[in-house]
């Protein structure tokens, strides 16, 4: 009887441990040791990352996005062949976690660096850094991408665009343009996006908007600035948008060079996180959920070099940073009461630049 109970206890615990593991996909640049998109198992109880596998061998899939139903995945890809166009790729996610190529489409710009899917899973938007263009695609029921339905070119004669990220929120499309120092606002009309405002707020001294995070109700946008090492907090009003806060991402005693990268709200939206490349840190802000203003409460080392991208796991208990130049992923425990981070451990990973749960 004791043997039976012991075996039953082992099986129950084994099943419990297995159920705690969720997939983590990592987008990379393949100009060093990486071969494409990698898949890991992430344990939502202890934060361990295990079981590295190559999910898809493909060239420089540097940013990834899921379809809402998690049946499909999309990436932007940079070609090492100067005569070949950069491209966007659609994949089917197999039962074993590997990926099967569905189709590819021209990105209509050089160095695509960001991709996002709308909440209905019917559209994809791609930001082309060196091309300065933003491309939109339709998605069919089988997950395949159409050819681009719209391409916006932000370049002008005396100013070069560097579109760095874009998000679709309901019928609005927002684009952070690092080169033009502006966040553009487009609105959907008759199934086509039209420019509503070439800059939602003024950004003095060219701080360089790179990425942004939108609150769930759409009332607040938090923009992280690559050049200025800062965050603009913006509120949507009846007349448009207004800046309500401006904060540095750096520690008071840091004097070196820095380039900000990524930004995310916590699941409960009480905290905001940003990444610093140079200081090599994650900055943590406490957020007033009523008026949207933020206050910096922590800067913590990423235990690596050049945190291009980071993410919070679905439970909100862990934050993971992808350190591109040191080839590692760092895991932090999130204090659920005050939002601060504590470093747990890291793993080696080839040129990680995008983390996707």
């Amino acid at each position: 009887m004791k043997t039976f109970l012991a075996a039953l206890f082992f099986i129950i615990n084994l099943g419990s441990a297995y159920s705690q593991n969720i997939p983590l996909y990592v987008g990379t640049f393949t100009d060093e040791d990486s071969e494409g998109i990698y898949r890991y198992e992430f344990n939502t109880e202890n934060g361990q990352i295990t079981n590295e596998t190559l999910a898809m061998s493909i060239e420089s899939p540097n940013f990834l996005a899921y379809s809402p139903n998690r049946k499909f995945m999309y990436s932007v890809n940079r070609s090492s062949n100067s005569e070949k166009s950069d491209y966007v790729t659609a994949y089917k996610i197999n039962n074993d976690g590997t990926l099967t190529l569905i189709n590819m489409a021209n990105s209509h710009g050089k160095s695509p660096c960001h991709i996002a899917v709308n909440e209905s899973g019917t559209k994809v938007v791609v930001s082309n850094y060196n091309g300065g263009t933003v491309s939109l695609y339709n998605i069919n029921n089988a997950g395949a991408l159409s050819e681009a339905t719209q391409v916006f070119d932000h370049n002008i004669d005396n100013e070069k665009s560097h579109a760095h990220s874009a998000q679709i929120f309901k019928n609005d499309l927002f684009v952070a343009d690092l080169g033009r120092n502006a966040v553009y606002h487009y609105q959907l009309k008759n199934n086509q996006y039209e420019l509503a405002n070439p800059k939602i707020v003024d950004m003095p001294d060219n701080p360089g908007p790179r990425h942004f995070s939108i609150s769930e109700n759409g009332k607040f946008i938090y923009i992280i600035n690559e050049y200025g090492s800062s965050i603009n907090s913006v509120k949507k009003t009846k007349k448009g948008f207004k800046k309500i806060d401006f904060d540095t991402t750096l520690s008071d005693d840091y004097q070196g060079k820095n380039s900000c990268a990524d930004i995310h709200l916590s699941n409960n939206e009480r905290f905001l996180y940003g990444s610093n490349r140079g200081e090599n840190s994650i900055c943590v802000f406490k957020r007033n959920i009523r008026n949207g203003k933020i206050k910096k409460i922590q800067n913590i080392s990423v235990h690596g070099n050049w945190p291009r991208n980071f993410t919070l796991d679905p439970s909100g208990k862990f934050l993971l940073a992808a350190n591109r130049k040191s080839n590692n992923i760092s895991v932090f425990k999130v204090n659920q009461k005050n939002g601060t981070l504590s470093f747990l451990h890291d793993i080696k990973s080839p040129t990680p630049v995008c983390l996707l749960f």
Side-chain angles (χ1 to χ4, degrees):
M1 184 64 177
K2 288 182 178 180
T3 303
F4 171 76
L5 290 174
L8 182 62
F9 181 77
F10 174 78
I11 291 170
I12 290 172
N13 277 295
L14 183 64
S16 175
Y18 180 77
S19 66
Q20 294 163 2
N21 284 337
I22 60 173
L24 167 66
Y25 287 92
V26 180
T28 68
F29 284 119
T30 54
D31 52 357
E32 295 182 20
D33 295 331
S34 171
E35 297 180 56
I37 300 173
Y38 290 84
R39 182 185 186 274
Y40 297 84
E41 294 286 337
F42 181 78
N43 189 294
T44 57
E45 289 300 314
N46 58 30
Q48 293 290 333
I49 303 174
T50 56
N51 299 329
E52 177 188 296
T53 57
L54 182 62
M56 168 61 67
S57 178
I58 196 165
E59 192 171 28
S60 290
N62 64 95
F63 211 92
L64 312 175
Y66 273 126
S67 64
N69 61 15
R70 302 295 181 98
K71 292 183 179 179
F72 309 108
M73 186 184 295
Y74 303 91
S75 73
V76 287
N77 302 76
R78 297 188 187 183
S79 174
S80 60
N81 184 346
S82 60
E83 297 181 0
K84 180 181 177 183
S85 299
D86 291 341
Y87 53 98
V88 191
T89 309
Y91 314 89
K92 178 185 176 183
I93 303 174
N94 302 316
N95 291 335
D96 63 358
T98 59
L99 305 176
T100 297
L101 179 69
I102 298 176
N103 75 326
M104 297 175 176
N106 192 318
S107 73
H108 292 277
K110 292 301 295 181
S111 304
C113 57
H114 187 270
I115 186 167
V117 182
N118 69 342
E119 61 183 356
S120 64
T122 57
K123 291 183 182 294
V124 158
V125 59
V126 168
S127 303
N128 294 292
Y129 179 80
N130 280 333
T133 55
V134 178
S135 306
L136 285 146
Y137 306 80
N138 290 331
I139 303 173
N140 69 18
N141 291 335
L145 293 163
S146 69
E147 290 301 316
T149 57
Q150 288 185 273
V151 179
F152 302 117
D153 188 342
H154 289 173
N155 293 288
I156 59 176
D157 289 342
N158 62 343
E159 207 168 47
K160 189 170 179 60
S161 166
H162 291 304
H164 217 306
S165 65
Q167 292 184 47
I168 298 170
F169 183 87
K170 300 187 184 302
N171 289 327
D172 295 312
L173 167 64
F174 298 96
V175 180
D177 192 322
L178 187 71
R180 297 292 308 280
N181 190 48
V183 175
Y184 288 67
H185 176 213
Y186 295 84
Q187 289 183 316
L188 188 64
K189 296 180 180 180
N190 300 318
N191 207 35
Q192 294 283 304
Y193 284 96
E194 297 179 6
L195 183 63
N197 196 330
K199 57 178 180 179
I200 60 173
V201 292
D202 288 328
M203 293 190 171
D205 302 320
N206 192 34
R210 178 185 170 104
H211 280 206
F212 56 93
S213 186
I214 305 174
S215 64
E216 190 174 355
N217 61 13
K219 290 184 178 180
F220 299 96
I221 303 176
Y222 298 91
I223 306 160
I224 196 161
N225 301 309
E226 178 171 333
Y227 303 147
S229 298
S230 57
I231 293 173
N232 286 100
S233 300
V234 176
K235 182 179 181 179
K236 187 176 183 180
T237 69
K238 291 181 180 179
K239 295 182 179 180
F241 300 87
K242 70 174 183 179
K243 187 165 59 177
I244 59 170
D245 210 352
F246 179 81
D247 300 84
T248 179
T249 62
L250 298 173
S251 303
D252 292 341
D253 58 353
Y254 183 74
Q255 300 297 322
K257 293 182 179 180
N258 188 73
S259 298
C260 286
D262 204 5
I263 187 168
H264 294 285
L265 282 163
S266 63
N267 293 349
N268 59 17
E269 301 196 336
R270 292 173 53 220
F271 308 103
L272 181 72
Y273 302 90
S275 62
N276 287 307
R277 300 173 301 173
E279 185 182 65
N280 289 331
S281 68
I282 300 294
C283 52
V284 184
F285 295 82
K286 183 178 180 181
R287 177 177 178 265
N288 186 313
I289 59 175
R290 293 183 297 277
N291 64 26
K293 293 185 177 181
I294 60 175
K295 180 180 180 181
K296 187 150 61 70
I297 57 175
Q298 185 187 27
N299 281 69
I300 184 171
S301 169
V302 293
H303 292 262
N305 188 3
W306 219 247
R308 182 184 172 93
N309 173 248
F310 70 92
T311 189
L312 291 149
D313 83 307
S315 73
K317 296 189 296 185
F318 300 95
L319 183 147
L320 286 71
N323 301 310
R324 177 188 172 185
K325 291 185 179 180
S326 53
N327 297 310
N328 69 319
I329 300 171
S330 300
V331 182
F332 299 83
K333 181 75 173 177
V334 179
N335 185 309
Q336 298 297 292
K337 291 184 179 180
N338 62 24
T340 58
L341 305 177
S342 54
F343 176 72
L344 293 179
H345 48 253
D346 72 321
I347 66 159
K348 285 296 181 182
S349 182
T351 55
V353 291
C354 181
L355 306 176
L356 180 66
F357 277 115

